Amino acid sequence: MFEAIAFYLFSFLTIVMFWITVTTKHSLYALTALAAGMIFISAFFFILGADFMGVVQIIVYSGAVMALYAFGMMFFDTTRELKEKPTKTRLVPILGALAALLVVLMVIAPVVGENITAHYPIDVAIGNSQAIGMVLFTKYLVPFELAAVMLLVAMIGGIVLAGKMMDEDYSSLSEEQIDEKEGAVS
Amino acid sequence: METAYLIETVIKIVTILLVFSALAGIGTYFERKVLAFMQRRLGPMNVGPYGIAQVAADGIKLFTKEDIVPTNVVGPIFKIAPVITAATAFMAAAAIPFLPSFEIGGYVVNPIVSDINVGILYVLAVMAVGFYGPLLGGMASANKYALLSAARGAAVFISYEVITGLSLLAPLMMVGSFSLIDLNNFQIEGYWMVVYQPVAMVLFLIAGFAETGRTPFHLVANDHEIIDGFGTEYSGMRWGLFFIGEYANMFFYAFLISILFFGGFGDGSVLGAFALLGKVSFFFFFFLWTRAAWPDVRPDQLMWLCWKVLMPLAVINIVITGFVMMF
């Protein structure tokens, strides 16, 4: 019974939060609602018994991804409402609804077609994180390594792009030296 | 069974909330006293003997002050930001074992709300979400100093999350579990974890100062502009909630360090329980001690420390631990 209550409570909250994210004109509301929605989604993982996935959902989406959005929003005034000029007001909602319908169909089709059984059912004897580790390092080893290589490429790319003047420390220079440098750059 | 479990959990949650809200208040008194003695002052002296009732006076002041919401702020976000700080601090406490399990009239009580098998990861994740409090508070405030402090605070929290995670990886590899109770029990037979992993302990402690926003990493306050930072526009109990969150986080971090690296409650005897409380008190005192002894570091020094010193150290520590465990 508790699971049912929790499920309906969190699905309601999640939908409301993402609804606010999409419809609001205020970028700060959108940011907050999206972060809250991401946290509420982790509740579904906890209800399903996938504790590790739930925690990772909180860390990655609420902790890291949304923090990057927040940094991006530092560049404009978040206390003002955004003036949107929506073009094609009819096409966008229709396409959105169609896309949502398509996703639901894709997920529902195998469920309706045959009885789904878990390939790797939850083993009570071993912990949640151990189970994920076993699957990750046996069945999904190649995708896992590929993802690692891609992250490495992204990291090196980030360092190359951002690290052009990294070894210069403006706070240890004198005023004249800074002026000289600024003149040389511009 | 179901009903008994429900009642037990609710009682535990209410107890933790009440105890740590009160402790946060008393913590401010201790902080002022400790700082005063270290700086050869008297600290609060007027309210009650040795100023002990200062906590009550502060509480009455905070509760009865007018709740000002300035004109240009984004109302709802401005109002909810302090709640996020306090709520995430207390939510993180759900997976921390505060005492060993004990018996009342034949009923075994585990002083932990939920022993999920990803305990430490959950605590750190929810604590990390706490940075939304200062961040949203600063962004909604319509005050450029608040915004600056929010940006700086968020950068520090995100950077030092990396250190917390990486420094914990080595001890977790040795234990092979995320549960704080398993981590505690690992140290019963052998030595304390700090003997095996001194580097990880130091890194975790340093990251703790950044995660709780304490001096010497107190960048959420704009000291050089003599402005309080993200809390500039707040007054009354909303400001108080930021404070409760910060102090509760300090207590929970002290619990984490004691359980992870300093033996926790040991084998669960009464002595072990008191030992745990003693260690927690020491680490809380250590937070205050550091504040009295060290100035704040500059933001660029803090980032330098994080990415060029602490992170390589943590990675090297993990590699060495891995090699030692393999061979």
Side-chain angles (χ1 to χ4, degrees), chain B residues 48-61:
Chain B
Y50 295 98
I52 193 99
Q54 184 70 43
V55 183
D58 283 344
I60 292 168
K61 184 193 82 178

Side-chain angles (χ1 to χ4, degrees), chain B residues 100-101 265-275:
Chain B
S101 53
F265 44 74
D267 51 2
S269 58
V270 179
L271 195 68
F274 278 105

Side-chain angles (χ1 to χ4, degrees), chain B residues 141-289:
Chain B
S141 273
N143 177 323
K144 59 184 168 192
Y145 295 108
L147 184 63
L148 270 179
S149 127
R152 215 154 42 196
V156 171
F157 288 138
I158 292 168
S159 308
Y160 276 84
E161 247 171 63
V162 176
I163 309 297
T164 332
L166 285 179
S167 68
L168 273 186
L169 212 52
L172 290 178
M173 276 157 65
M174 290 179 65
V175 179
S177 168
F178 287 116
S179 167
L180 278 163
I181 291 185
D182 287 350
L183 281 157
N184 177 75
N185 292 345
F186 176 83
Q187 300 171 74
I188 298 176
E189 293 123 42
Y191 299 105
W192 287 356
M193 187 55 90
V194 66
V195 178
Y196 305 110
Q197 295 286 351
V199 180
M201 196 282 288
V202 173
L203 293 178
F204 191 72
L205 191 60
I206 293 176
F209 282 92
E211 295 270 317
T212 50
R214 300 289 301 176
T215 315
F217 300 152
H218 189 49
L219 292 183
V220 284
N222 305 20
D223 280 339
H224 29 276
E225 291 112 11
I226 331 182
I227 281 179
D228 186 41
F230 67 88
T232 310
E233 302 283 353
Y234 284 92
S235 67
M237 205 49 216
R238 292 197 198 283
W239 186 82
L241 275 177
F242 274 129
F243 233 76
I244 289 176
E246 183 185 331
Y247 277 80
N249 256 337
M250 272 163 75
F251 277 110
F252 297 143
Y253 220 88
F255 266 103
L256 281 188
I257 295 175
S258 314
I259 291 168
L260 285 169
F261 292 103
F262 290 91
F265 44 74
D267 51 2
S269 58
V270 179
L271 195 68
F274 278 105
L276 176 63
L277 295 182
K279 290 169 209 165
V280 170
S281 314
F282 172 76
F283 280 106
F284 186 74
F285 170 72
F286 189 78
F287 275 108
L288 310 181
W289 188 7

Side-chain angles (χ1 to χ4, degrees), chain A residues 2 26 28-29 31-32 35 39 51-52 55 58-59 62-63 66-67 70-71 73-74 78-79 127-130 169 171, chain B residues 2 6 72 74 76-77 116-118 121-122 125 129 131-132 135-136 139-140 142 147 151 154-155 158 176 178 298 300:
Chain A
F2 291 128
H26 213 297
L28 204 51
Y29 290 171
L31 173 78
T32 315
I39 292 175
D51 297 350
F52 187 80
V55 172
I58 296 180
I59 293 179
S62 306
M66 291 311 299
F71 271 109
M73 285 178 59
M74 296 278 171
T78 48
T79 54
N128 206 271
S129 35
Q130 279 92 336
D169 184 9
S171 48
Chain B
E2 194 99 292
L6 195 69
N72 280 332
V74 186
I77 310 285
I116 52 176
N117 56 24
V118 288
L121 213 55
Y122 168 82
V129 171
F131 88 94
Y132 278 107
L135 182 74
L136 294 177
M139 285 172 86
L147 184 63
I158 292 168
F178 287 116
R298 280 199 325 255
D300 62 314

